[in-house]
């Protein structure tokens, strides 16, 4: 069955409510471990069906944001998911207070209950209304961004499509593309300010109602973080600022030299080579064929996985009118289907979709038979390690996609990976400050962003560009609006992925087999435990960034010798 063949049916919330009431009652009255476990499995079925339909609606809505039917269905989920959460949370509460917790833990694993506890304290029916409002604000922001029609190069482009011009090898073109994109944000500046302000205040109110000091701790709980807190993350960011940033400053000096420029302006930062960044050779069909060949050669399991994706048509890759921006991988649990969504635009980003998003899809494929949905996927730091490591493990096949530009791509990929980490820390520290001091004005928020730009990306010169030079840059980072405090996960994951890469440079096969174990474990272990079992440096430990920079420096030296 292909994705298109899946029949969408709006979940019947009245029925679900009754079903949950019934299993919750039965569970509370049961004095039999096996029966209690089977009731957990009943919940899994209800939960999986709701998730599946909500995901199908989400995917179809993002493929065509102008289709009124799925727009209506998304509105249904925006206002009804919090009700569903309430039924699930009530059930969890009963499970958590089971007399047979120890016996149940033998079947579910200890982490299931630990995660349950975190999830329970971060929710209460008292915040349902606020959550509904929060969802609507996020949808409004996403819609606003998807509505962009920027006139450029004789075409009307969305924000994904213009990215190709923003890294053009012609400096005038890329500068003008950045200005045009900035123009869109400036036109919508007031609403963008307001939406964010409402979101920060809404989330803060939720935190207060649930008894948290600020949204920071609530946000950590909502992300299910089960092995570190804000203090450890602060330590990680400090290591990035003190050890990685100076290292990148040097890389950026080299980049400016390569480009023949005295310094890097904002619109030069992502343009790594004077003759343009490496681009994949061939159209979408060819790239997918190349990816299939790569996955078949990589490992029997990756081959089996990618064939499954193709056979069931679990992709939507081309950029189209009214399609939502960006790219993602999601899953439809009832069908055991991962799904990859993207807007191909002819840049190296297209290959990234076939390695990064496919890395997520691979993890979802491997975990599809873990009985408890809650344990299939780990926390996002580990889940992003699945995808970011896959990007680096696929370096062996770069010449398939990039042909004569493969070597250039390898340098590009590594520099981009390193450059990303401080940016991610900037996004994280910004959000942390926003939720610690929710009363800031829109202007103060922009000043904070600018100050942090200097801390983490001191080499970037805004060249007095509108929007960016006043600190508006945060408004284009959709995670800041849509997925609060979810971004540092990418930095941790990038660090762990680079650690895997260091190992793969020594012995690819052995590193890949450690990676495979990491992925196959799904969400049955915490990120800290997964990193430990893979025998890699833990990003929160002092010295991790120093270790990483040292190894990368050696690689750069070796490249120069060749
Ligand atoms: Zn990802």
């Amino acid at each position: 069955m292909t994705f298109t063949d899946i029949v969408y049916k709006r979940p019947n919330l009245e029925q679900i409510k009754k079903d949950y009431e019934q299993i919750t009652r039965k569970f509370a009255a049961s004095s039999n471990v096996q029966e209690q476990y089977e009731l957990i499995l009943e919940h899994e079925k209800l939960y999986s069906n709701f998730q599946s339909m909500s995901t199908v609606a989400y995917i179809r809505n993002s493929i065509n944001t102008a289709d009124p039917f799925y727009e209506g269905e998304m509105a249904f989920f925006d206002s009804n998911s919090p009700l569903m959460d309430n039924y699930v949370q009530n059930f969890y509460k009963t499970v958590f207070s089971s007399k047979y917790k120890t016996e149940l833990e033998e079947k579910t694993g200890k982490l299931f209950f630990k995660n349950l506890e975190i999830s329970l304290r971060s929710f209460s029916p008292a915040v349902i209304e606020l959550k509904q409002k929060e969802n609507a604000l996020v949808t409004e922001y996403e819609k606003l961004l998807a509505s962009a029609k920027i006139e450029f190069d004789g075409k009307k482009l969305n924000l994904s499509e213009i990215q190709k011009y923003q890294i053009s090898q012609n400096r005038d073109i890329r500068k003008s593309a950045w200005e045009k994109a900035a123009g869109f944000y400036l036109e919508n500046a007031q609403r963008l300010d307001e939406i964010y302000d409402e979101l920060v205040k809404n989330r803060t109110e939720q935190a207060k109602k649930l008894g948290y000091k600020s949204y920071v701790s609530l946000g950590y709980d909502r992300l299910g973080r089960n092995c570190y807190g804000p203090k450890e993350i602060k330590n990680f960011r400090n290591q990035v600022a003190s050890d990685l940033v100076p290292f990148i400053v040097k890389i950026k000096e080299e980049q400016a030299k390569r480009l023949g420029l005295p310094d890097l302006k904002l619109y030069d930062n992502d343009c790594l080579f004077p003759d343009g960044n490496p681009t994949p050779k061939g159209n979408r069909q060819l790239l997918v064929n190349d990816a299939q060949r790569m996955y078949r050669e990589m490992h029997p399991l990756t081959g089996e996985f990618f064939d499954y994706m193709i056979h069931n048509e679990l992709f939507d890759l081309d950029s189209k009118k009214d399609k939502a921006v960006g790219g993602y991988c999601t899953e439809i649990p009832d069908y055991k289907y991962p799904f990859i969504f993207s807007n191909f635009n002819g840049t190296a980003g297209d290959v990234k979709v076939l390695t990064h998003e496919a890395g997520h899809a691979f993890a979802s494929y491997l975990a599809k038979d873990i009985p408890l949905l809650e344990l299939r996927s780990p926390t996002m730091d580990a889940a992003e390690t699945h995808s970011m490591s896959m990007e680096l493990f696929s370096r062996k096949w770069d010449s398939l996609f990039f042909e004569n530009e493969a070597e250039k791509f390898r340098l590009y990929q590594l520099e981009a990976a390193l450059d990303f980490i401080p940016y991610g820390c900037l996004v994280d520290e910004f959000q942390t400050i926003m939720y610690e001091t929710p009363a800031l004005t829109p202007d103060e928020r922009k000043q904070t962003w600018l100050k942090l730009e200097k801390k983490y990306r001191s080499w970037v010169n805004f060249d007095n560009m509108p929007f960016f030079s006043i600190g508006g840059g945060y408004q284009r980072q959709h995670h800041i609006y849509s997925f609060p405090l979810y971004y540092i996960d990418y930095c941790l994951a990038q660090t762990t992925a680079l650690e895997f890469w260091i190992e793969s440079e020594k012995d690819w096969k052995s590193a890949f087999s450690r990676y495979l174990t990491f992925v196959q474990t799904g969400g049955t272990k915490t990120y800290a435990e997964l990193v430990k079992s893979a025998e890699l440096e833990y990003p929160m430990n002092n010295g991790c960034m120093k270790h990483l920079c040292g190894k990368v420096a050696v690689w750069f030296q070796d490249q120069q010798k060749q």
Side-chain angles (χ1 to χ4, degrees):
M1 182 188 266
T2 68
F3 171 72
T4 333
D5 296 331
I6 294 178
V7 178
Y8 170 77
K9 201 166 159 253
R10 181 191 278 197
N12 178 344
L13 225 62
E14 268 312 299
Q15 188 56 47
I16 295 177
K17 186 176 177 223
K18 280 187 203 142
D19 291 343
Y20 264 105
E21 278 165 3
Q22 197 190 17
I23 60 167
T24 308
R25 232 183 0 251
K26 268 196 192 166
F27 192 100
S30 168
S31 50
N32 177 317
V33 182
Q34 185 56 28
E35 189 186 24
Q36 287 199 339
Y37 183 65
E38 277 160 22
L39 286 163
I40 294 178
L41 296 179
E42 286 281 316
H43 139 76
E44 295 292 326
K45 263 192 233 149
L46 294 168
Y47 190 47
S48 166
N49 183 257
F50 186 86
Q51 293 282 43
S52 300
M53 287 303 111
S54 138
T55 306
V56 169
Y58 179 81
I59 297 171
R60 291 188 180 156
N61 174 246
S62 49
I63 291 174
N64 181 6
T65 54
D67 177 345
F69 177 76
Y70 286 107
E71 192 184 3
E73 293 311 289
M74 282 321 290
F76 166 81
F77 285 107
D78 279 352
S79 54
N80 288 289
S81 304
L83 297 177
M84 176 70 181
D85 288 347
N86 193 25
Y87 310 146
V88 174
Q89 294 291 329
N90 274 336
F91 178 69
Y92 281 166
K93 221 183 278 172
T94 314
V95 173
F96 193 72
S97 53
S98 168
K99 276 183 286 190
Y100 308 104
K101 206 159 116 190
T102 322
E103 291 85 348
L104 279 171
E105 268 179 353
E106 277 168 32
K107 295 178 186 288
T108 63
K110 274 199 165 64
L111 194 57
F112 177 79
F113 277 91
K114 185 173 185 185
N115 291 345
L116 221 58
E117 188 181 2
I118 295 173
S119 158
L120 281 173
R121 66 173 182 240
S122 64
F123 184 82
S124 141
V127 299
I128 290 182
E129 220 171 287
L130 283 165
K131 283 199 76 156
Q132 287 169 327
K133 180 73 184 142
E134 180 192 5
N135 287 346
L137 285 165
V138 168
T139 303
E140 185 191 344
Y141 168 80
E142 299 278 355
K143 254 192 101 172
L144 185 61
L145 256 58
S147 75
K149 289 189 178 68
I150 302 165
E151 284 190 34
F152 199 83
D153 193 25
K155 297 176 197 126
K156 279 197 168 137
L157 306 174
N158 67 28
L159 288 165
S160 297
E161 289 164 326
I162 201 165
Q163 278 171 11
K164 184 178 168 177
Y165 299 94
Q166 291 180 297
I167 52 166
S168 166
Q169 66 191 80
N170 180 321
R171 199 174 193 214
D172 293 332
I173 294 178
R174 65 177 184 258
K175 183 179 178 189
S176 150
W178 274 90
E179 279 166 350
K180 282 280 185 180
F184 168 80
Y185 290 103
L186 275 179
E187 271 166 41
N188 295 287
Q190 198 188 341
R191 191 59 200 138
L192 287 167
D193 281 347
E194 287 164 1
I195 296 177
Y196 194 57
D197 191 60
E198 289 169 42
L199 279 169
V200 169
K201 290 183 174 145
N202 175 307
R203 287 169 181 152
T204 302
E205 203 182 329
Q206 291 190 45
K208 297 277 181 236
K209 283 202 166 169
L210 290 163
Y212 290 87
K213 207 175 118 225
S214 76
Y215 184 77
V216 177
S217 341
L218 173 57
Y220 273 58
D221 278 354
R222 289 257 168 95
L223 288 161
R225 290 183 179 152
N226 46 21
C227 58
Y228 56 79
K231 212 176 92 203
E232 286 82 6
I233 289 297
K234 193 175 175 189
N235 188 43
F236 171 74
R237 288 197 309 253
N238 284 342
Q239 283 193 67
V240 170
S242 66
D243 300 329
L244 182 59
V245 170
F247 185 66
I248 296 182
V249 167
K250 281 191 216 136
I251 293 178
K252 290 289 163 184
E253 281 165 8
E254 285 300 310
Q255 181 184 338
K257 260 191 232 161
R258 262 196 321 254
L259 296 175
L261 299 170
D263 68 345
L264 293 180
K265 307 285 192 241
L266 176 65
Y267 45 86
D268 301 318
N269 191 54
D270 300 325
C271 182
L272 267 56
F273 303 92
D275 54 346
N277 288 351
T279 50
K281 313 298 169 220
N283 57 16
R284 189 245 314 145
Q285 187 56 53
L286 254 166
L287 295 180
V288 171
N289 290 347
D290 288 341
Q292 184 173 37
R293 187 176 145 193
M294 170 179 81
Y295 286 118
R296 283 176 174 175
E297 288 175 11
M298 190 179 276
H299 191 277
L301 280 172
T302 51
E304 184 189 299
F305 144 73
F306 207 75
D307 289 352
Y308 179 86
M309 296 292 290
I310 290 182
H311 180 73
N312 297 305
E313 298 177 18
L314 304 175
F315 301 97
D316 193 283
L317 302 175
D318 294 320
S319 211
K320 279 175 285 211
K321 187 174 165 284
D322 293 321
K323 201 170 156 173
V325 294
Y328 61 78
C329 169
T330 181
E331 58 189 9
I332 310 159
D334 271 2
Y335 294 83
K336 303 191 176 187
Y337 281 177
F339 189 89
I340 296 179
F341 171 95
S342 167
N343 283 276
F344 268 27
N345 60 6
T347 67
D350 297 352
V351 174
K352 190 171 171 141
V353 170
L354 293 170
T355 54
H356 180 103
E357 301 305 342
H360 286 304
F362 178 52
S364 158
Y365 176 78
L366 287 185
K368 67 188 182 341
D369 297 318
I370 294 178
L372 302 176
L373 209 56
E374 290 87 343
L375 296 180
R376 275 186 210 161
S377 184
T379 41
M380 293 317 296
D381 33 34
E384 291 301 340
T385 303
H386 299 155
S387 52
M388 288 174 148
S389 306
M390 185 60 99
E391 290 179 49
L392 296 169
F393 276 115
S394 67
R395 277 163 83 85
K396 264 176 59 175
W397 287 270
D398 287 339
S399 47
L400 267 183
F401 303 105
F402 293 96
E403 298 175 3
N404 59 346
E405 285 195 308
E407 205 176 306
K408 200 169 142 187
F409 176 75
R410 280 191 280 273
L411 180 64
Y412 164 85
Q413 187 184 39
L414 214 54
E415 291 197 358
L418 293 168
D419 187 14
F420 172 77
I421 298 174
Y423 175 71
C425 289
L426 155 63
V427 171
D428 185 64
E429 190 166 338
F430 174 77
Q431 297 191 77
T432 309
I433 297 173
M434 293 307 108
Y435 294 115
E436 277 170 354
T437 44
L440 294 185
T441 64
D443 278 346
E444 288 167 333
R445 291 200 176 107
K446 288 179 184 146
Q447 282 156 23
T448 307
W449 179 263
L450 271 187
K451 206 173 83 197
L452 293 170
E453 281 269 9
K454 290 201 182 75
K455 174 172 175 186
Y456 289 108
R457 308 208 303 165
S458 52
W459 60 88
V460 174
N461 175 330
F462 290 105
D463 199 21
N464 294 318
M465 284 186 77
F467 177 68
F468 294 103
S469 55
I470 56 162
Y474 81 88
Q475 298 188 327
R476 55 191 280 276
Q477 188 56 61
H478 90 125
H479 297 75
I480 293 180
Y481 286 74
S482 310
F483 308 107
L485 299 170
Y486 169 37
Y487 210 72
I488 195 70
D489 305 77
Y490 290 120
C491 304
L492 301 173
Q494 187 65 80
T495 306
T496 305
L498 284 163
E499 292 285 339
F500 265 128
W501 167 74
I502 290 166
E503 295 305 304
S504 79
E505 286 283 297
K506 286 187 235 159
D507 180 347
W508 191 95
K509 263 202 156 150
S510 135
F512 192 81
S513 102
R514 280 148 71 185
Y515 166 73
L516 210 55
T517 310
F518 187 114
V519 178
Q520 278 168 325
T521 311
T524 59
K525 280 188 181 171
T526 66
Y527 170 65
E529 289 165 345
L530 287 164
V531 172
K532 198 173 171 208
S533 342
E535 294 169 57
L536 301 172
E537 297 271 339
Y538 187 49
M540 256 72 80
N541 288 352
N542 286 331
C544 178
M545 266 308 141
K546 274 209 177 92
H547 171 258
L548 186 71
C549 293
K551 296 288 177 186
V552 180
V554 171
W555 186 85
F556 279 123
Q557 276 159 13
D558 289 349
Q559 292 298 297
Q560 275 159 4
K561 273 184 222 147
Q562 278 172 16

